Amino acid sequence: MSSPGVRDTTPARSGGGAPGADTAVTIGVAAIAGGAISLIVALVAGGAVTAEVIPGLPDSGPLTRWGLPVSTMVRDLASALTLGLLVLAVFLLPLPAPADKSGARPLGAQALGYVRAASWAALCWAAAAAATLVFQLSDISGLPPQEVLGNQLTSYAVSVSQGISLLLMILAATALALFCRTVESASAGALLVVLAAAGMVPPVLTGHSASAGAHELAVAGLALHVLAIAVWVGGLAAVTFHGLRAGAQDAPVAAERFSRTALWAYIGVAVGGVASAVSRLYEPAQLFTTSYGLLILVKIALFAVLGAVGYAHRRATVPRITETAGRRLFARLAGVEIVVMSAAMALGAALSRTPPPPDDGGVPTPAESVLGFPMPPPISVQTLLTLWRPDLFFAVLVAVMGGLYVAGVVRLRRRGDTWPVGRLVAWLAGLLLMTGVLLSGVATYSMVLFSTHMVQHMLLSMMAPVLLVLGAPVTLALRALRPARRRGDRGPREWLNAFLNSRFSKVVTHPGVATPLFVLSPYVLYFTPLFGVLMGDHSGHVLMNVHFLLSGYLYYWTIVGVDPGPRRLHHLLRILLLLLAMGVHAFFGITIMMQTEPLAMSYYGQFDVPWADSVGEDQYAGGGVAWAIGEIPTLLVMLALLRQWAGDEERRERRRERHSRRGGSDDADMDAYNAYLQDLDRRARRQAGKEGTGGTGGTEPTGRTAAESPAAEGDIPA
């Protein structure tokens, strides 16, 4: 199936030769047919299009009943294809050209063709999302689609969460359709990949997952599931088309790289799917007794088939893709996999129209409606250690951070290199602290008590980042990651280097940005309505905790970080910034204690905590926590700073001693400057000698040595 903007450079082979563009067209038609059949069967079996219409009640009509799932499926497929084409162009195909004068890495001709093709896929994505918006409002209001156009549709798109999420998706897809026509560098292409992934997330936050009881599992699980399957499906479609093109370059490299990516995507689909299903099914028997559960079982079966086909790809076709027989086998397996994937995505669209099993636990209390879980018992050491919340986002984050770090240390040890044990201990201690404040009873009580929330905030922003920074993860990654096989190409190590040297990194790590972000953002958060808004939404709560962690990490990276960065501050300036930040944080705690009105009553006023003090007294305790808890990280960072300062002075003194033993003066910097001037003098005399002997009988050059030259007479101040 030829994509717009991508053109075969030679005719496709026919007969018994390697498969070509005609095979790609066949696979595309089969995938569309398989997805359509799967969608129709799932909608009928799940009852989404066969529901009885009750006379007298509003009915949106058959066009909406069929149009909404169809537009959803087209939207999902188009978004996955957009992401897959961009991933292929930016990350899977090698970069053939050297950097230009500005340092940017341009994409190759074929990669640019795939980026242009992604613009057309994004345009289809935007159109399908717009159709979904119309059909969704028609379904909610019970009116035919043509009757909701106009002011009613505009109001829905800007004032209702479901409409806002689809509007954001439409804007992201439209922006991609425009930017893909102009992007030419790898770095800009990477930003488009991020934009495409971000554009898929908003509807996830307002669907079934947003109303599920276990918000922590449902929202993060579905988001992970959607992103992973988009990378998997879209990437496979793009790589398959590239591998079937006659004259396609670097197809084996792209297939090998995607094989590793697909394994991680498969794991992500599994983890996200399990979490999403667990959050909607209240007992295992509902898998077999409800339409929703039966559709999940079918998806599990298709997922198992995909795993088997993917394993066959990895073992049999990827190593032989350069052979004609290997390409034919690759085309067959890829075709089967793409058809099954299309059917699985159609089932996902049908699931979005199939109501999950109802909760038989009765009417939820006001606290359960807001929190997503029952009101916890009185706080104690036992409850803090036992009332864990399964927040999938932070559980996956901690697992990935710990796994990658340990894998890097193991790789260094296997090749005979060492890694300081203290850094490993600091990193693991930081992850353990994150686990304690984000997944244990601290996270549970932080949703109902401001004082516990402030403990979580302070530990996330002031203690955990210190330990993580001292772990030096960037240094470990630069040492453990292997350089790209091709000179000039970008692998993980080169992408990390490019990010560290980017303009964005230089800005966010500047003390004039990192310090105000760390010390002033709490004032903006807690003394505006923003705090209540973020606390009332699970996604907002996750975003708030991520901000605490990142702002603290950036600040302490500039203060006590041992990783390489765009700039190095003098230790005295670091101490001054540390004291300044701690003073502002202490004043922040005092300001909270002095408040006469409770903060964020739009959130805390929705439920009552029968065993706790009043909201005002709890807020006063939280201010005391913010005022007092900063002393521990301040002491830890101060000790680390003094040790680093002393270590730098010792290393500088050792360099001076080594230089003196080699015959230099006591000032190594002055000696280096004098040597530089002497080298300039030697070059000037050699040039003068060439000009003198190459003319019409010119004069001979002077015979002065470097020591006799004016540049070497005495010590010239730097």
Side-chain angles (χ1 to χ4, degrees):
M1 182 171 55
S2 180
S3 299
V6 181
R7 185 180 46 168
D8 287 345
T9 56
T10 60
R13 301 178 184 178
S14 59
D22 54 344
T23 306
V25 172
T26 303
I27 293 175
V29 172
I32 294 174
I37 294 173
S38 176
L39 180 65
I40 293 172
V41 173
L43 289 175
V44 173
V49 295
T50 58
E52 181 181 358
V53 178
I54 301 176
L57 294 180
D59 178 34
S60 56
L63 179 59
T64 295
R65 285 195 292 273
W66 286 98
L68 182 55
V70 169
S71 63
T72 301
M73 185 185 74
V74 174
R75 180 198 73 189
D76 294 343
L77 289 174
S79 62
L81 184 58
T82 303
L83 182 61
L85 288 169
L86 291 174
V87 168
L88 172 64
V90 178
F91 298 111
L92 302 183
L93 291 177
L95 298 179
D100 57 21
K101 295 181 180 179
S102 64
R105 296 302 312 277
L107 296 169
Q110 286 189 332
L112 280 176
Y114 290 125
V115 173
R116 302 298 182 258
S119 69
W120 293 101
L123 191 61
C124 295
W125 177 11
T132 304
L133 178 66
V134 175
F135 287 127
Q136 190 179 84
L137 177 57
S138 172
D139 181 66
I140 294 174
S141 62
L143 299 174
Q146 63 272 15
E147 295 186 16
V148 301
L149 301 176
N151 294 334
Q152 190 174 357
L153 182 63
T154 303
S155 176
Y156 176 73
V158 298
S159 59
V160 181
S161 58
Q162 291 90 338
I164 293 173
S165 66
L166 282 173
L167 179 61
L168 292 175
M169 174 178 278
I170 295 170
L171 293 176
T174 305
L176 282 169
L178 296 175
F179 292 148
C180 286
R181 309 303 301 178
T182 60
V183 162
E184 295 185 354
S185 68
S187 298
L191 293 178
L192 293 184
V193 172
V194 174
L195 178 60
M200 299 179 187
V201 174
V204 173
L205 309 179
T206 57
H208 287 167
S209 59
S211 59
H215 300 315
E216 301 89 342
L217 280 178
V219 175
L222 188 56
L224 177 62
H225 185 75
V226 167
L227 291 176
I229 204 168
V231 172
W232 190 11
V233 175
L236 178 65
V239 170
T240 301
F241 176 79
H242 182 70
L244 296 179
R245 289 181 63 193
Q249 300 174 356
D250 299 312
V253 177
E256 181 185 359
R257 291 181 176 180
F258 177 73
S259 179
R260 295 193 295 266
T261 304
L263 176 60
W264 289 105
Y266 188 83
I267 296 173
V269 171
V271 173
V274 170
S276 181
V278 168
S279 66
R280 296 187 179 97
L281 299 177
Y282 298 96
E283 56 183 17
Q286 291 178 336
L287 274 173
F288 309 95
T289 59
T290 63
S291 300
Y292 195 89
L294 292 175
L295 289 178
I296 290 178
L297 288 177
V298 176
K299 285 194 69 175
I300 293 174
L302 294 178
F303 181 75
V305 172
L306 289 173
V309 176
Y311 180 78
H313 266 307
R314 190 175 183 90
R315 300 288 295 180
T317 66
V318 173
R320 300 175 52 201
I321 196 172
T322 56
E323 307 171 6
T324 301
R327 289 185 67 188
R328 286 199 297 267
L329 181 59
F330 174 81
R332 294 192 194 101
L333 289 178
V336 172
E337 193 171 3
I338 290 175
V339 171
V340 175
M341 284 179 170
S342 178
M345 295 191 72
L347 283 178
L351 276 174
S352 67
R353 295 291 297 147
T354 304
D359 183 10
D360 297 332
V363 179
T365 64
E368 290 178 329
S369 300
V370 176
L371 302 174
F373 55 87
M375 177 64 65
I379 188 171
S380 65
V381 175
Q382 180 182 358
T383 56
L384 287 174
L385 295 176
T386 56
L387 291 181
W388 287 62
R389 298 296 305 165
D391 194 317
L392 183 65
F393 177 84
F394 289 111
V396 171
L397 179 64
V398 170
V400 171
M401 291 172 64
L404 292 178
Y405 194 95
V406 172
V409 174
V410 171
R411 175 175 288 185
L412 289 182
R413 297 285 175 85
R414 285 180 176 176
R415 72 186 188 197
D417 295 336
T418 60
W419 184 252
V421 177
R423 294 182 180 180
L424 175 61
V425 172
W427 182 262
L428 296 180
L431 295 182
L432 182 62
L433 183 59
M434 286 178 57
T435 302
V437 300
L438 292 170
L439 301 175
S440 70
V442 175
T444 302
Y445 285 99
S446 69
M447 298 297 297
V448 298
L449 295 176
F450 181 83
S451 56
T452 311
H453 164 82
M454 193 55 64
V455 172
Q456 183 187 56
H457 173 184
M458 292 294 108
L459 292 178
L460 270 183
S461 63
M462 301 183 69
M463 193 64 192
V466 176
L467 298 171
L468 297 177
V469 164
L470 293 177
V474 176
T475 302
L476 175 62
L478 292 175
R479 291 183 58 186
L481 291 173
R482 299 184 180 94
R485 295 179 182 178
R486 291 190 182 187
R487 184 175 179 85
D489 192 16
R490 276 188 180 176
R493 190 177 191 276
E494 288 74 20
W495 277 108
L496 178 58
N497 260 321
F499 177 75
L500 292 175
N501 295 315
S502 65
R503 187 175 303 174
F504 173 79
S505 294
K506 294 178 181 179
V507 170
V508 298
T509 58
H510 193 282
V513 175
T515 303
L517 185 67
F518 177 66
V519 300
L520 298 181
S521 59
Y523 290 88
V524 177
L525 173 64
Y526 289 100
F527 299 124
T528 65
L530 182 61
F531 177 53
V533 173
L534 295 180
M535 286 294 295
D537 182 77
H538 174 69
S539 302
H541 191 249
V542 170
L543 180 63
M544 181 168 52
N545 285 332
V546 170
H547 168 75
F548 293 154
L549 194 63
L550 287 181
S551 62
Y553 188 91
L554 287 175
Y555 170 74
Y556 286 113
W557 194 31
T558 62
I559 298 298
V560 74
V562 294
D563 282 325
R567 61 185 57 83
R568 303 296 295 178
L569 303 179
H570 191 275
H571 291 86
L572 184 58
L573 178 58
R574 298 184 193 184
I575 293 176
L576 292 176
L577 289 175
L578 175 65
L579 297 177
L580 172 65
M582 294 308 106
V584 175
H585 260 290
F587 182 73
F588 163 73
I590 296 174
T591 305
I592 290 182
M593 296 171 67
M594 295 175 60
Q595 294 294 307
T596 57
E597 296 292 333
L599 300 176
M601 285 304 294
S602 61
Y603 172 75
Y604 290 107
Q606 299 179 86
F607 54 86
D608 178 51
V609 186
W611 43 263
D613 297 329
S614 66
V615 176
E617 293 178 350
D618 183 63
Q619 177 181 296
Y620 184 86
V625 169
W627 171 69
I629 206 171
E631 296 182 1
I632 298 176
T634 301
L635 177 61
L636 179 62
V637 173
M638 185 65 71
L639 292 175
L641 271 176
L642 294 176
R643 182 179 178 182
Q644 289 179 359
W645 197 350
D648 286 349
E649 292 296 332
E650 292 177 0
R651 285 190 292 270
R652 187 177 293 109
E653 186 62 30
R654 286 196 296 268
R655 284 197 300 267
R656 290 175 179 174
E657 292 177 357
R658 288 195 300 267
H659 185 75
S660 298
R661 287 196 295 268
R662 289 195 297 264
S665 67
D666 292 336
D667 195 335
D669 295 333
M670 185 65 69
D671 288 343
Y673 184 69
N674 286 334
Y676 169 72
L677 294 178
Q678 292 174 13
D679 182 64
L680 290 180
D681 180 70
R682 284 193 295 270
R683 293 182 182 181
R685 287 190 290 105
R686 283 197 299 268
Q687 184 65 26
K690 292 179 181 179
E691 293 175 354
T693 58
T696 57
T699 61
E700 295 183 359
T702 61
R704 288 190 303 174
T705 63
E708 295 172 313
S709 65
E713 295 176 358
D715 287 339
I716 301 176

